[in-house]
Amino acid sequence: MSRMNRTFDTDSSGNIDFGEFLIAISITAQQDPKKKLEWAFSMYDIDRNGYIDKKEMRKIMDAIYDLLGEDKKGSDNPDNKVDQIFLKMDTNSDKKLSKEEFINGCLADERLRKLLAPSAT
């Protein structure tokens, strides 16, 4: 199941029903950056434990680099980018990002917001 399906399939049926579809459209069309960041967080929290760990963030970075056609070698590689993100966002240094840390980090840093949630800018 894709991250998008997992995010909007609120009843875990394996399908997005019409109601869930309407919710997805509503969230992605809203102008409120915080709501869009909440949606991005729920998409990135792959195991739905309420946190984004470095393994999940690495998957996100790999997907973003692939989507943008970025080179994954050199000093600006996905692993280094994940470390930079956690340095800025993981305010309590517990090696995972809560929804609050993710949202506050994106709101405080335009570059991170554009990277992790471009529709929230």
Short mmCIF file of all heavy atoms in Angstrom, two decimals, residues 35-82:
data_model
loop_
_atom_site.label_atom_id
_atom_site.label_comp_id
_atom_site.label_asym_id
_atom_site.label_seq_id
_atom_site.Cartn_x
_atom_site.Cartn_y
_atom_site.Cartn_z
N LYS A 35 -2.03 22.71 8.59
CA LYS A 35 -2.82 21.52 8.22
C LYS A 35 -2.06 20.70 7.17
O LYS A 35 -2.05 19.48 7.22
CB LYS A 35 -4.18 21.92 7.68
CG LYS A 35 -5.11 22.49 8.71
CD LYS A 35 -5.71 21.40 9.53
CE LYS A 35 -6.75 21.98 10.47
NZ LYS A 35 -7.04 21.11 11.57
N LYS A 36 -1.45 21.38 6.21
CA LYS A 36 -0.69 20.67 5.18
C LYS A 36 0.53 19.97 5.79
O LYS A 36 0.88 18.86 5.38
CB LYS A 36 -0.28 21.63 4.07
CG LYS A 36 -1.47 22.07 3.24
CD LYS A 36 -1.05 22.98 2.12
CE LYS A 36 -2.26 23.39 1.30
NZ LYS A 36 -1.90 24.18 0.15
N LEU A 37 1.15 20.60 6.77
CA LEU A 37 2.30 19.98 7.44
C LEU A 37 1.85 18.77 8.27
O LEU A 37 2.57 17.77 8.33
CB LEU A 37 3.04 20.99 8.31
CG LEU A 37 3.80 22.06 7.53
CD1 LEU A 37 4.25 23.18 8.45
CD2 LEU A 37 4.98 21.46 6.78
N GLU A 38 0.68 18.86 8.89
CA GLU A 38 0.14 17.70 9.61
C GLU A 38 -0.09 16.55 8.65
O GLU A 38 0.21 15.39 8.96
CB GLU A 38 -1.17 18.08 10.31
CG GLU A 38 -0.99 18.97 11.51
CD GLU A 38 -2.30 19.45 12.11
OE1 GLU A 38 -3.39 19.10 11.58
OE2 GLU A 38 -2.23 20.18 13.11
N TRP A 39 -0.61 16.86 7.47
CA TRP A 39 -0.82 15.83 6.45
C TRP A 39 0.51 15.23 6.00
O TRP A 39 0.64 14.01 5.90
CB TRP A 39 -1.57 16.44 5.26
CG TRP A 39 -1.68 15.51 4.11
CD1 TRP A 39 -2.54 14.46 3.99
CD2 TRP A 39 -0.90 15.52 2.92
NE1 TRP A 39 -2.33 13.82 2.78
CE2 TRP A 39 -1.33 14.45 2.11
CE3 TRP A 39 0.13 16.33 2.46
CZ2 TRP A 39 -0.77 14.17 0.88
CZ3 TRP A 39 0.69 16.06 1.22
CH2 TRP A 39 0.24 14.99 0.45
N ALA A 40 1.51 16.09 5.76
CA ALA A 40 2.83 15.60 5.34
C ALA A 40 3.40 14.69 6.43
O ALA A 40 3.93 13.62 6.13
CB ALA A 40 3.77 16.77 5.06
N PHE A 41 3.28 15.09 7.69
CA PHE A 41 3.77 14.27 8.78
C PHE A 41 3.12 12.89 8.77
O PHE A 41 3.80 11.87 8.87
CB PHE A 41 3.54 14.94 10.14
CG PHE A 41 4.00 14.11 11.30
CD1 PHE A 41 5.30 14.19 11.74
CD2 PHE A 41 3.14 13.22 11.93
CE1 PHE A 41 5.75 13.39 12.79
CE2 PHE A 41 3.57 12.42 12.97
CZ PHE A 41 4.88 12.51 13.41
N SER A 42 1.80 12.86 8.61
CA SER A 42 1.11 11.57 8.63
C SER A 42 1.52 10.70 7.45
O SER A 42 1.54 9.47 7.56
CB SER A 42 -0.41 11.76 8.67
OG SER A 42 -0.88 12.35 7.48
N MET A 43 1.88 11.32 6.34
CA MET A 43 2.35 10.55 5.20
C MET A 43 3.75 9.99 5.45
O MET A 43 4.06 8.87 5.04
CB MET A 43 2.38 11.44 3.96
CG MET A 43 1.87 10.73 2.74
SD MET A 43 1.69 11.86 1.39
CE MET A 43 3.09 11.37 0.43
N TYR A 44 4.59 10.76 6.12
CA TYR A 44 5.97 10.34 6.37
C TYR A 44 6.10 9.38 7.55
O TYR A 44 7.09 8.66 7.66
CB TYR A 44 6.85 11.56 6.63
CG TYR A 44 6.98 12.51 5.45
CD1 TYR A 44 7.33 13.82 5.64
CD2 TYR A 44 6.74 12.08 4.15
CE1 TYR A 44 7.47 14.69 4.56
CE2 TYR A 44 6.87 12.94 3.07
CZ TYR A 44 7.23 14.24 3.28
OH TYR A 44 7.37 15.10 2.23
N ASP A 45 5.13 9.37 8.46
CA ASP A 45 5.14 8.46 9.60
C ASP A 45 4.67 7.09 9.11
O ASP A 45 3.53 6.69 9.31
CB ASP A 45 4.25 9.00 10.71
CG ASP A 45 4.19 8.09 11.92
OD1 ASP A 45 5.07 7.21 12.07
OD2 ASP A 45 3.26 8.26 12.73
N ILE A 46 5.57 6.39 8.46
CA ILE A 46 5.23 5.16 7.73
C ILE A 46 4.62 4.09 8.64
O ILE A 46 3.65 3.44 8.28
CB ILE A 46 6.48 4.62 7.00
CG1 ILE A 46 6.93 5.65 5.95
CG2 ILE A 46 6.20 3.27 6.35
CD1 ILE A 46 8.31 5.41 5.38
N ASP A 47 5.18 3.92 9.84
CA ASP A 47 4.67 2.87 10.73
C ASP A 47 3.55 3.36 11.65
O ASP A 47 3.07 2.61 12.50
CB ASP A 47 5.80 2.24 11.55
CG ASP A 47 6.50 3.23 12.46
OD1 ASP A 47 6.04 4.38 12.60
OD2 ASP A 47 7.54 2.85 13.04
N ARG A 48 3.15 4.62 11.49
CA ARG A 48 2.04 5.22 12.24
C ARG A 48 2.22 5.14 13.75
O ARG A 48 1.26 4.94 14.50
CB ARG A 48 0.71 4.59 11.85
CG ARG A 48 0.27 4.90 10.46
CD ARG A 48 -1.10 4.35 10.20
NE ARG A 48 -1.57 4.79 8.90
CZ ARG A 48 -2.78 4.63 8.47
NH1 ARG A 48 -3.67 4.02 9.22
NH2 ARG A 48 -3.14 5.06 7.28
N ASN A 49 3.45 5.32 14.22
CA ASN A 49 3.69 5.29 15.66
C ASN A 49 3.69 6.68 16.28
O ASN A 49 3.96 6.85 17.46
CB ASN A 49 4.98 4.54 15.99
CG ASN A 49 6.22 5.28 15.53
OD1 ASN A 49 6.15 6.30 14.83
ND2 ASN A 49 7.37 4.77 15.91
N GLY A 50 3.43 7.71 15.47
CA GLY A 50 3.39 9.07 15.98
C GLY A 50 4.72 9.80 15.91
O GLY A 50 4.82 10.93 16.38
N TYR A 51 5.71 9.16 15.31
CA TYR A 51 7.05 9.75 15.19
C TYR A 51 7.63 9.43 13.81
O TYR A 51 7.28 8.43 13.20
CB TYR A 51 8.00 9.19 16.26
CG TYR A 51 7.58 9.53 17.65
CD1 TYR A 51 6.83 8.65 18.41
CD2 TYR A 51 7.94 10.75 18.23
CE1 TYR A 51 6.42 8.96 19.69
CE2 TYR A 51 7.56 11.07 19.52
CZ TYR A 51 6.80 10.17 20.24
OH TYR A 51 6.41 10.50 21.51
N ILE A 52 8.56 10.27 13.38
CA ILE A 52 9.36 9.98 12.20
C ILE A 52 10.77 9.72 12.70
O ILE A 52 11.39 10.59 13.31
CB ILE A 52 9.36 11.16 11.20
CG1 ILE A 52 7.95 11.47 10.72
CG2 ILE A 52 10.29 10.86 10.03
CD1 ILE A 52 7.85 12.76 9.91
N ASP A 53 11.26 8.51 12.47
CA ASP A 53 12.64 8.20 12.88
C ASP A 53 13.57 8.39 11.67
O ASP A 53 13.12 8.71 10.57
CB ASP A 53 12.74 6.80 13.48
CG ASP A 53 12.32 5.69 12.52
OD1 ASP A 53 12.46 5.85 11.29
OD2 ASP A 53 11.87 4.64 13.01
N LYS A 54 14.85 8.19 11.91
CA LYS A 54 15.82 8.43 10.83
C LYS A 54 15.62 7.47 9.66
O LYS A 54 15.83 7.84 8.51
CB LYS A 54 17.25 8.35 11.36
CG LYS A 54 17.65 9.59 12.13
CD LYS A 54 19.14 9.61 12.41
CE LYS A 54 19.54 10.95 13.00
NZ LYS A 54 20.99 11.07 13.13
N LYS A 55 15.21 6.25 9.93
CA LYS A 55 14.98 5.28 8.86
C LYS A 55 13.85 5.76 7.95
O LYS A 55 13.95 5.69 6.72
CB LYS A 55 14.66 3.91 9.46
CG LYS A 55 14.48 2.81 8.47
CD LYS A 55 14.21 1.49 9.17
CE LYS A 55 13.92 0.38 8.18
NZ LYS A 55 13.59 -0.87 8.87
N GLU A 56 12.76 6.25 8.56
CA GLU A 56 11.64 6.77 7.77
C GLU A 56 12.07 8.02 7.01
O GLU A 56 11.73 8.17 5.82
CB GLU A 56 10.45 7.09 8.69
CG GLU A 56 9.77 5.85 9.23
CD GLU A 56 8.78 6.14 10.33
OE1 GLU A 56 9.07 6.95 11.24
OE2 GLU A 56 7.69 5.53 10.31
N MET A 57 12.81 8.90 7.66
CA MET A 57 13.26 10.13 7.00
C MET A 57 14.21 9.79 5.85
O MET A 57 14.18 10.46 4.81
CB MET A 57 13.94 11.06 8.00
CG MET A 57 14.33 12.41 7.43
SD MET A 57 12.95 13.41 6.79
CE MET A 57 12.20 13.96 8.32
N ARG A 58 15.00 8.76 5.99
CA ARG A 58 15.90 8.35 4.90
C ARG A 58 15.07 7.89 3.69
O ARG A 58 15.41 8.21 2.55
CB ARG A 58 16.84 7.23 5.38
CG ARG A 58 17.68 6.59 4.29
CD ARG A 58 18.54 7.63 3.57
NE ARG A 58 19.02 7.12 2.31
CZ ARG A 58 20.27 6.87 2.02
NH1 ARG A 58 21.20 7.08 2.91
NH2 ARG A 58 20.60 6.41 0.84
N LYS A 59 13.99 7.17 3.92
CA LYS A 59 13.12 6.76 2.81
C LYS A 59 12.52 7.97 2.12
O LYS A 59 12.40 8.02 0.90
CB LYS A 59 12.00 5.83 3.32
CG LYS A 59 12.49 4.45 3.70
CD LYS A 59 11.36 3.57 4.17
CE LYS A 59 11.88 2.21 4.57
NZ LYS A 59 10.83 1.32 5.04
N ILE A 60 12.15 8.97 2.93
CA ILE A 60 11.60 10.21 2.38
C ILE A 60 12.65 10.89 1.52
O ILE A 60 12.38 11.31 0.39
CB ILE A 60 11.14 11.15 3.51
CG1 ILE A 60 10.00 10.53 4.29
CG2 ILE A 60 10.76 12.53 2.97
CD1 ILE A 60 9.77 11.15 5.66
N MET A 61 13.87 11.03 2.06
CA MET A 61 14.95 11.70 1.33
C MET A 61 15.29 10.96 0.04
O MET A 61 15.50 11.58 -1.00
CB MET A 61 16.20 11.84 2.20
CG MET A 61 16.12 12.88 3.29
SD MET A 61 16.02 14.56 2.64
CE MET A 61 14.27 14.84 2.59
N ASP A 62 15.34 9.63 0.10
CA ASP A 62 15.60 8.85 -1.12
C ASP A 62 14.54 9.14 -2.18
O ASP A 62 14.86 9.33 -3.35
CB ASP A 62 15.64 7.35 -0.81
CG ASP A 62 16.96 6.89 -0.23
OD1 ASP A 62 17.99 7.58 -0.42
OD2 ASP A 62 16.97 5.83 0.43
N ALA A 63 13.28 9.16 -1.75
CA ALA A 63 12.19 9.42 -2.70
C ALA A 63 12.28 10.84 -3.27
O ALA A 63 12.09 11.04 -4.47
CB ALA A 63 10.84 9.21 -2.01
N ILE A 64 12.60 11.80 -2.43
CA ILE A 64 12.72 13.19 -2.89
C ILE A 64 13.90 13.32 -3.86
O ILE A 64 13.77 13.95 -4.91
CB ILE A 64 12.87 14.16 -1.70
CG1 ILE A 64 11.55 14.25 -0.94
CG2 ILE A 64 13.32 15.55 -2.16
CD1 ILE A 64 11.61 15.00 0.38
N TYR A 65 15.03 12.72 -3.54
CA TYR A 65 16.19 12.78 -4.43
C TYR A 65 15.86 12.12 -5.76
O TYR A 65 16.24 12.63 -6.82
CB TYR A 65 17.40 12.10 -3.78
CG TYR A 65 18.22 13.01 -2.90
CD1 TYR A 65 17.67 13.65 -1.79
CD2 TYR A 65 19.56 13.23 -3.16
CE1 TYR A 65 18.43 14.47 -0.98
CE2 TYR A 65 20.33 14.05 -2.36
CZ TYR A 65 19.76 14.68 -1.27
OH TYR A 65 20.52 15.50 -0.47
N ASP A 66 15.16 10.96 -5.72
CA ASP A 66 14.77 10.29 -6.96
C ASP A 66 13.83 11.16 -7.78
O ASP A 66 13.99 11.29 -9.00
CB ASP A 66 14.11 8.94 -6.67
CG ASP A 66 15.08 7.88 -6.17
OD1 ASP A 66 16.32 8.07 -6.33
OD2 ASP A 66 14.62 6.87 -5.61
N LEU A 67 12.85 11.74 -7.11
CA LEU A 67 11.87 12.58 -7.79
C LEU A 67 12.52 13.78 -8.47
O LEU A 67 12.19 14.14 -9.59
CB LEU A 67 10.82 13.07 -6.79
CG LEU A 67 9.69 13.93 -7.32
CD1 LEU A 67 8.79 13.11 -8.24
CD2 LEU A 67 8.87 14.51 -6.19
N LEU A 68 13.48 14.39 -7.78
CA LEU A 68 14.16 15.57 -8.32
C LEU A 68 15.34 15.24 -9.21
O LEU A 68 15.95 16.13 -9.80
CB LEU A 68 14.62 16.48 -7.17
CG LEU A 68 13.52 17.02 -6.26
CD1 LEU A 68 14.13 17.80 -5.09
CD2 LEU A 68 12.54 17.89 -7.04
N GLY A 69 15.70 13.95 -9.30
CA GLY A 69 16.84 13.55 -10.10
C GLY A 69 18.17 14.00 -9.51
O GLY A 69 19.14 14.22 -10.22
N GLU A 70 18.21 14.15 -8.18
CA GLU A 70 19.40 14.61 -7.48
C GLU A 70 20.40 13.46 -7.34
O GLU A 70 20.03 12.31 -7.17
CB GLU A 70 19.04 15.14 -6.09
CG GLU A 70 18.16 16.35 -6.10
CD GLU A 70 18.91 17.63 -6.44
OE1 GLU A 70 20.11 17.71 -6.18
OE2 GLU A 70 18.25 18.53 -7.00
N ASP A 71 21.68 13.83 -7.37
CA ASP A 71 22.76 12.87 -7.17
C ASP A 71 22.83 12.50 -5.69
O ASP A 71 22.84 13.38 -4.82
CB ASP A 71 24.09 13.50 -7.62
CG ASP A 71 25.25 12.53 -7.53
OD1 ASP A 71 25.03 11.30 -7.40
OD2 ASP A 71 26.40 13.00 -7.60
N LYS A 72 22.85 11.22 -5.39
CA LYS A 72 22.86 10.76 -4.00
C LYS A 72 24.28 10.60 -3.45
O LYS A 72 24.45 10.12 -2.34
CB LYS A 72 22.12 9.43 -3.89
CG LYS A 72 20.64 9.55 -4.15
CD LYS A 72 19.94 8.23 -3.96
CE LYS A 72 18.47 8.35 -4.27
NZ LYS A 72 17.77 7.08 -4.07
N LYS A 73 25.27 11.02 -4.21
CA LYS A 73 26.66 10.92 -3.76
C LYS A 73 27.17 12.31 -3.40
O LYS A 73 26.56 13.31 -3.72
CB LYS A 73 27.51 10.30 -4.86
CG LYS A 73 27.09 8.88 -5.17
CD LYS A 73 27.91 8.29 -6.27
CE LYS A 73 27.39 6.87 -6.53
NZ LYS A 73 27.63 6.43 -7.86
N GLY A 74 28.29 12.35 -2.73
CA GLY A 74 28.87 13.63 -2.36
C GLY A 74 28.42 14.08 -0.99
O GLY A 74 27.74 13.36 -0.26
N SER A 75 28.76 15.29 -0.64
CA SER A 75 28.50 15.79 0.71
C SER A 75 27.03 16.08 0.97
O SER A 75 26.59 16.12 2.12
CB SER A 75 29.34 17.04 0.98
OG SER A 75 28.97 18.06 0.07
N ASP A 76 26.24 16.30 -0.08
CA ASP A 76 24.82 16.59 0.10
C ASP A 76 23.97 15.35 -0.16
O ASP A 76 22.89 15.42 -0.74
CB ASP A 76 24.40 17.74 -0.84
CG ASP A 76 23.08 18.37 -0.41
OD1 ASP A 76 22.80 18.39 0.80
OD2 ASP A 76 22.34 18.83 -1.29
N ASN A 77 24.45 14.19 0.31
CA ASN A 77 23.73 12.94 0.09
C ASN A 77 22.56 12.79 1.07
O ASN A 77 22.47 13.54 2.05
CB ASN A 77 24.70 11.75 0.18
CG ASN A 77 25.29 11.60 1.56
OD1 ASN A 77 24.58 11.50 2.55
ND2 ASN A 77 26.62 11.59 1.64
N PRO A 78 21.66 11.86 0.83
CA PRO A 78 20.48 11.71 1.69
C PRO A 78 20.82 11.48 3.17
O PRO A 78 20.14 12.02 4.04
CB PRO A 78 19.74 10.51 1.10
CG PRO A 78 20.12 10.53 -0.35
CD PRO A 78 21.56 10.99 -0.36
N ASP A 79 21.85 10.70 3.46
CA ASP A 79 22.20 10.46 4.87
C ASP A 79 22.60 11.75 5.57
O ASP A 79 22.18 12.02 6.70
CB ASP A 79 23.34 9.44 4.98
CG ASP A 79 22.88 8.03 4.69
OD1 ASP A 79 21.72 7.69 5.02
OD2 ASP A 79 23.67 7.25 4.13
N ASN A 80 23.42 12.57 4.91
CA ASN A 80 23.82 13.85 5.49
C ASN A 80 22.63 14.78 5.64
O ASN A 80 22.52 15.51 6.62
CB ASN A 80 24.92 14.52 4.66
CG ASN A 80 26.26 13.83 4.81
OD1 ASN A 80 26.47 13.06 5.75
ND2 ASN A 80 27.17 14.10 3.90
N LYS A 81 21.75 14.77 4.65
CA LYS A 81 20.54 15.61 4.71
C LYS A 81 19.67 15.19 5.90
O LYS A 81 19.15 16.04 6.62
CB LYS A 81 19.76 15.50 3.40
CG LYS A 81 18.62 16.45 3.29
CD LYS A 81 19.02 17.90 3.36
CE LYS A 81 19.58 18.39 2.05
NZ LYS A 81 19.96 19.79 2.07
N VAL A 82 19.52 13.89 6.12
CA VAL A 82 18.74 13.40 7.27
C VAL A 82 19.38 13.89 8.57
O VAL A 82 18.69 14.38 9.47
CB VAL A 82 18.62 11.86 7.24
CG1 VAL A 82 18.07 11.33 8.57
CG2 VAL A 82 17.74 11.42 6.09
#
